[in-house]
Amino acid sequence: MGATQRENMDPAPYEVEFMNVVVDKANDLQVTDADSHFAQFADVHPSKIKQGKLFLYDKLKPADRERVMQNICKKGARFTYMTMDLLDKKGAPLFVHCVGQNYEDSTLCRMTFADVSESRRRQEQLRAQAVEMNELIDLVCGGVCLFKVTPEMHIECLYLNKGCCRLFGTSQESSRLRAYRLDELLHPVFDKAALKQAKVLTRGLPASPGAACGQIVFFADDAAEWHAAGKRVVMVRIETSPEDLAGMAVAEGILTARGGMTSHAAVVARGMGKCCVSGAGALNIDYKARTVEVDGVVLKEGDFISLNGSTGEVYKGKVETKAAELSGDFAELMQLADKYTKLQVRTNADTPHDAQVARNFGAVGIGLCRTEHMFFEGEKIKAMREMILAENAEGRRKALSKILPYQQADFKGIFKAMEGCPVTVRLLDPPLHEFVPHDLKGQQEMADTMGVSLQYIQQRVEALCEHNPMLGHRGCRLGNTYPEITQMQTRAILGAALELKKEGVETHPEIMVPLTGILYEFKQQEEVIRAEAAKLFAEAGDSIEFKVGTMIEIPRAALTADRIASSAEFFSFGTNDLTQMTFGYSRDDIASFLPIYLEKKILKVDPFQVLDQNGVGQLVRMATEKGRAIRPDLKCGICGEHGGEPSSVKFCHKVGLNYVSCSPFRVPIARLAAAQAAIEE
């Protein structure tokens, strides 16, 4: 059998229930009490494998070592228990290393040293190194470890782990537990037996991890109704909008035909901890017929469908799920991470519930609170639409007075959940057309509510439509055009903080102006905010400290960060939009060409998933350096989805940012990545 053919073989999954590994003075790895089939994982020439002996690692050529290790660690290799002896030059054991671990089931590995002899001359010399190494391995590794002691008194480890293994020592860079694997611990997963029988219908982008199974629904109202009736549902949409939030909140998962990793569906789903597959372009969705067709297979509303948000796979029918299991090792790992980390981890949260979830995962504040998501509940949306569709400023203020108490109550709940921690609130950002009704029924309802004609409402809705809305009338441009919106939101934010101050709750509000590209855009908004704050404080006879800063998400803002920092007290990099505007790639439409770009190696990774350090990253670095040259105490962080991606987090650490902010369920990933970044310095 040729080497190429062997490498393409998938080794049969095999579980080693018990094995002893001895590292002797010759550095041979001896395997005893293990089935000989374990050697299949090595996939090396038979001459290099004997019964009971895995291989002589040090005798292999460097190219063979890499391949051997990869083959050992992939495709189902699993160790449930292992003991390991360190031998000195005379063959006497120094330590026993015990590992209780089951990597496939995502149980975190815990490693401890235990003495096996009373006293050895070299034992105490090694202990200091061993304890520190042990602690680091607890933090950064997730597989089986083989130790040896070098003549130079270094403790070296050969780590066996699916997709991640190599030889390293105390003086070398350590192999790390891949932080993203923590996602598997925090979200539902498919039952393995059920998954084996499942039929893949199509694939999309793995927009939010976890597993979901439920009946297909196409509209938010139906999702809410079916959920209330005790049914599990999966929302299937061409693409989602803020109007779909109520349905998304009750759905087991979300599936869209369009959209990338930072589309509305992806971002909201990650914030909710919901499974989501986006950009599944093979889907042909017919809202009128309430069907979805994929390669000739037609599914109707009510049919079951299953989603794997970690891989992007969509399955026909039911694939049963089970809740993820968290072990005590998880909390231990997080405590150890906090011991080393320098970069703070905040969360992106828009509700008290999301804030509390994130805080339970260790978030130390909110880096992004999106105010627009608050407008889609009950009577709020009616008042919001009334404000948008009003003829003049007087009409807008009348509608805004209805919104104010809702907003203030929302902020009060969020501040309370994050008591004592900073909360960055982004002022209204999306284009207004996202909030208005586009169906005849909704338009008629608004006409009746406002006492105007249906024709007037339709004309106003049409007037709000833009050819390129993400570059249009949104962000600070809204606040500068309609300052009454900024006034209302400022009063709601600071009013909530004042109420909590009376109740003895400590708050640290930070008001963030979105989409600044020009210093004067920011200054105009800052003036409105501070003037309204002064007016509110005079009325209340009390005050509270707050900061005003901006979101850096336009390349020009990064290039002129020194000027903007002359007024802004903090920067928050909105890397979703910054990536969009730097590359010129639409966040929502990239799925149409991304697979081809990845296949042809034009792109190595999706830039909306992994921060482009050579381009977008340099804008982040430049803006941070320029801003702090003017304002040395300038607080800088990122709040785009890159804030929960491990390599991006490590880049933020190197650049010297104060914090990263990410979806609640990605907080543990960011905390681990931040600790690893500190260790790697």
Side-chain angles (χ1 to χ4, degrees):
M1 184 180 292
T4 303
Q5 188 176 353
R6 282 196 312 274
E7 289 174 14
N8 293 331
M9 291 176 60
D10 286 336
Y14 180 73
E15 180 177 345
V16 180
E17 295 293 349
F18 181 86
M19 106 175 157
N20 290 326
V21 178
V22 176
V23 184
D24 70 9
K25 59 185 179 182
N27 299 319
D28 293 347
L29 307 186
Q30 305 288 337
V31 180
T32 61
D33 300 323
D35 194 295
S36 62
H37 287 98
F38 179 73
Q40 292 178 6
F41 284 100
D43 190 25
V44 296
H45 195 275
S47 65
K48 295 180 179 178
I49 300 176
K50 298 179 181 179
Q51 184 83 12
K53 178 178 284 189
L54 181 56
F55 54 84
L56 305 179
Y57 182 82
D58 287 345
K59 304 298 187 290
L60 295 178
K61 295 178 180 178
D64 289 334
R65 293 183 187 182
E66 179 84 13
R67 181 172 58 84
V68 166
M69 289 295 94
Q70 289 176 353
N71 288 330
I72 288 174
C73 300
K74 72 180 183 180
K75 303 287 185 184
R78 185 168 84 175
F79 306 87
T80 55
Y81 190 82
M82 172 181 177
T83 66
M84 187 268 311
D85 296 338
L86 273 73
L87 306 183
D88 64 17
K89 291 183 178 181
K90 297 181 179 180
L94 295 176
F95 298 102
V96 173
H97 190 223
C98 300
V99 181
Q101 109 100 4
N102 190 333
Y103 196 71
E104 277 212 334
D105 290 342
S106 302
T107 302
L108 288 175
C109 180
R110 191 177 173 205
M111 307 178 183
T112 58
F113 282 94
D115 293 345
V116 295
S117 59
E118 290 295 326
S119 64
R120 309 242 183 245
R121 184 174 63 86
R122 295 173 59 203
Q123 187 167 316
E124 290 304 320
Q125 294 175 291
L126 293 169
R127 185 180 296 278
Q129 289 182 337
V131 169
E132 179 67 16
M133 178 62 75
N134 182 49
E135 192 171 70
L136 294 181
I137 288 172
D138 265 335
L139 171 64
V140 303
C141 298
V144 175
C145 186
L146 311 179
F147 279 80
K148 71 175 183 178
V149 181
T150 70
E152 293 79 19
M153 301 290 291
H154 289 162
I155 300 172
E156 293 189 346
C157 315
L158 181 62
Y159 229 84
L160 308 183
N161 183 359
K162 294 169 60 176
C164 179
C165 58
R166 62 184 168 187
L167 191 68
F168 67 92
T170 54
S171 61
Q172 301 175 20
E173 180 185 356
S174 300
S175 178
R176 308 288 187 213
L177 168 62
R178 297 186 177 184
Y180 70 85
R181 298 299 298 259
L182 291 182
D183 260 340
E184 301 173 10
L185 297 174
L186 306 174
H187 297 85
V189 294
F190 284 125
D191 179 82
K192 291 181 180 178
L195 192 59
K196 289 180 181 178
Q197 307 299 321
K199 179 183 177 183
V200 176
L201 191 64
T202 188
R203 290 177 173 82
L205 298 175
S208 184
C213 173
Q215 292 176 273
I216 295 172
V217 294
F218 294 98
F219 300 99
D221 292 346
D222 294 329
E225 186 179 326
W226 287 32
H227 176 76
K231 297 179 180 179
R232 295 190 302 166
V233 300
V234 171
M235 269 198 76
V236 179
R237 300 284 294 167
I238 296 174
E239 57 187 344
T240 63
S241 72
E243 288 182 295
D244 298 314
L245 284 174
M248 297 172 73
V250 299
E252 302 295 313
I254 300 100
L255 173 63
T256 68
R258 300 177 190 162
M261 297 295 292
T262 57
S263 63
H264 177 270
V267 171
V268 172
R270 284 194 287 270
M272 293 180 173
K274 300 277 185 179
C275 169
C276 177
V277 175
S278 65
L283 299 178
N284 293 307
I285 299 170
D286 188 334
Y287 288 143
K288 190 173 183 179
R290 300 199 177 210
T291 61
V292 55
E293 182 266 333
V294 185
D295 296 331
V297 178
V298 178
L299 301 177
K300 304 184 297 295
E301 189 167 60
D303 289 344
F304 276 88
I305 198 169
S306 303
L307 312 177
N308 189 335
S310 302
T311 65
E313 291 175 320
V314 181
Y315 301 95
K316 181 181 179 182
K318 286 185 182 180
V319 183
E320 291 301 326
T321 63
K322 63 179 183 179
E325 298 178 358
L326 292 181
S327 71
D329 289 334
F330 175 80
E332 208 170 315
L333 179 70
M334 291 295 99
Q335 289 174 3
L336 187 56
D338 290 341
K339 180 179 177 179
Y340 290 94
T341 189
K342 298 177 183 178
L343 188 69
Q344 290 188 329
V345 179
R346 298 194 193 182
T347 188
N348 301 340
D350 313 323
T351 66
H353 174 267
D354 289 349
Q356 192 58 59
V357 169
R359 192 157 194 180
N360 292 342
F361 282 140
V364 294
I366 292 177
L368 176 62
C369 177
R370 307 174 184 89
T371 55
E372 59 268 16
H373 290 171
M374 301 176 177
F375 295 129
F376 288 89
E377 299 176 6
E379 296 298 311
K380 299 179 188 177
I381 187 61
K382 291 183 180 178
M384 185 64 177
R385 287 170 171 174
E386 187 177 335
M387 186 276 295
I388 294 169
L389 298 172
E391 287 188 84
N392 48 46
E394 184 182 351
R396 285 191 294 274
R397 289 193 181 95
K398 182 180 177 181
L400 286 166
S401 66
K402 299 178 184 178
I403 299 173
L404 175 61
Y406 294 128
Q407 279 255 286
Q408 188 160 317
D410 287 334
F411 291 133
K412 188 175 179 179
I414 291 170
F415 287 150
K416 195 169 184 177
M418 277 290 170
E419 181 178 359
C421 298
V423 175
T424 303
V425 181
R426 184 179 71 185
L427 299 179
L428 190 63
D429 181 49
L432 296 180
H433 82 272
E434 290 191 6
F435 300 95
V436 298
H438 295 279
D439 61 296
L440 185 61
K441 180 183 177 183
Q443 291 173 350
Q444 186 62 64
E445 286 179 356
M446 284 307 305
D448 296 340
T449 300
M450 297 176 65
V452 296
S453 68
L454 173 62
Q455 185 180 14
Y456 169 80
I457 296 295
Q458 290 175 329
Q459 287 174 344
R460 291 287 295 131
V461 170
E462 181 66 26
L464 289 170
C465 289
E466 297 178 298
H467 292 293
N468 197 346
M470 294 304 290
L471 297 178
H473 196 189
R474 55 171 288 220
C476 63
R477 302 158 196 171
L478 285 173
N480 284 326
T481 307
Y482 307 127
E484 53 270 18
I485 298 176
T486 301
Q487 290 171 337
M488 182 278 292
Q489 291 200 297
T490 299
R491 184 168 284 264
I493 295 165
L494 299 180
L498 285 171
E499 285 187 14
L500 288 172
K501 183 180 179 181
K502 292 179 182 178
E503 298 174 15
V505 178
E506 180 186 353
T507 63
H508 299 281
E510 300 175 345
I511 300 175
M512 182 162 66
V513 178
L515 215 69
T516 295
I518 305 169
L519 169 63
Y520 302 108
E521 285 183 309
F522 176 80
K523 287 181 71 69
Q524 286 277 326
Q525 284 291 277
E526 184 190 20
E527 289 173 7
V528 172
I529 293 166
R530 296 199 182 280
E532 191 65 26
K535 185 178 178 182
L536 174 65
F537 294 161
E539 294 170 5
D542 199 1
S543 64
I544 194 161
E545 291 187 3
F546 67 98
K547 295 182 182 294
V548 182
T550 190
M551 210 166 180
I552 304 292
E553 48 195 328
I554 294 176
R556 192 185 191 280
L559 294 169
T560 60
D562 50 342
R563 289 178 55 78
I564 295 173
S566 65
S567 291
E569 294 178 290
F570 66 87
F571 286 171
S572 180
F573 294 95
T575 52
N576 298 346
D577 268 327
L578 189 58
T579 298
Q580 176 173 247
M581 296 191 189
T582 303
F583 275 94
Y585 295 160
S586 168
R587 292 166 52 182
D588 296 319
D589 301 317
I590 190 174
S592 62
F593 63 87
L594 179 62
I596 298 170
Y597 268 44
L598 293 175
E599 182 184 346
K600 293 185 176 182
K601 310 296 183 187
I602 297 173
L603 290 172
K604 292 182 179 179
V605 293
D606 181 349
F608 290 104
Q609 278 189 276
V610 180
L611 185 68
D612 166 43
Q613 298 182 16
N614 293 327
V616 178
Q618 295 314 303
L619 290 173
V620 173
R621 185 190 297 273
M622 179 193 302
T624 302
E625 292 173 353
K626 282 193 167 195
R628 287 176 176 167
I630 300 299
R631 189 183 295 268
D633 62 345
L634 183 73
K635 184 161 59 177
C636 298
I638 70 168
C639 59
E641 285 302 306
H642 300 101
E645 194 283 314
S647 67
S648 306
V649 172
K650 293 179 180 181
F651 176 80
C652 293
H653 172 90
K654 292 177 183 176
V655 170
L657 301 190
N658 300 96
Y659 68 88
V660 295
S661 187
C662 56
S663 304
F665 283 84
R666 303 186 82 183
V667 167
I669 297 172
R671 290 171 67 191
L672 178 57
Q676 292 174 345
I679 292 170
E680 290 170 2
E681 279 189 321

